[in-house]
Amino acid sequence: GAVVSQHPSRVICKSGTSVKIECRSLDFQATTMFWYRQFPKQSLMLMATSNEGSKATYEQGVEKDKFLINHASLTLSTLTVTSAHPEDSSFYICSARLAGVYGEQYFGPGTRLTVT
Amino acid sequence: SQQGEEDPQALSIQEGENATMNCSYKTSINNLQWYRQNSGRGLVHLILIRSNEREKHSGRLRVTLDTSKKSSSLLITASRAADTASYFCATGSSETSGSRLTFGEGTQLTVNP
C-alpha cells in the first residue's frame, strides 16, 4: 500500500516552454501533498505544500507564479514549471502524506526535468 | 540552512558489517523519519519514530531518538551490497503537526561485497 506515482519520469523541454508534472496517490487519499526539488548529490528542498481544494503554500524563495501547483482531487496534484529555463533543470519529487497526527509521507519516483 | 545534519557524509563498509548514521536537528519535532534513496530514484520510507519514542526496530534497522540531544541514529545490521544508497533523515516540525518535513544532507553508504 501507500504507493505514489509521478508522470512523466523524464522530460526534456526547450527553454521558454512549460512542463506539467503529475503526482498521484494510487491507493490512498492524500489531503496534503508536497513538492520537492533535488539537485545532484544534494538533499531534498521543500518547494511547496499542496492542500486539496485550496491554494498551495510556497517556501521562501520559491516563485509561485513560476511553479504552479494544483491539487484538484484527493489523489492528484500537479506541478507546472512555466517558462522553463536551464536553471530549472532538476529532479522533482512529490510526496503524499497519510492522514493522522503522525502521518508518514510516501514519495513518488521523481521526475527528471532537463531544460535545453 | 537544512534543519538536519547528518554524519558521516559518506560511509564505506564491507558486507556483513554494521552501519551507523547519525542525524542532528535544531527545533522541536513531532516525528523523525528515515528514508533511503538509490541513485536517481525516489525515496523509500524506512521508519518513522515519534517524538515520544526512544527506539524503534524494523528488520535489520534500528533507530534511536534522543530529544534532549536533538539527535537520532540509524543502525543497519549485517549490511548487504543492496543497502548501498543515500540515507536521509527528515524531521517533522511540531509547529505543523509533523506534516512539513525538513531533510538532512544525507549519508552516502557504500557496502562493498
Side-chain angles (χ1 to χ4, degrees), chain A residues 34 38 43 45 59 101 105, chain B residues 2 35 37 97 99-100 104:
Chain A
F34 302 86
Q38 184 182 33
S43 187
M45 295 292 292
E59 295 299 303
V101 176
Q105 283 192 32
Chain B
Q2 286 288 316
Y35 290 86
Q37 183 181 36
S97 298
S99 66
R100 183 181 176 281

Side-chain angles (χ1 to χ4, degrees), chain A residues 25-45:
Chain A
S25 56
L26 298 184
D27 49 3
F28 67 100
Q29 293 183 332
T31 55
T32 305
M33 291 184 172
F34 302 86
W35 287 96
Y36 298 82
R37 66 187 298 181
Q38 184 182 33
F39 291 107
K41 298 190 184 302
Q42 293 189 22
S43 187
L44 279 73
M45 295 292 292

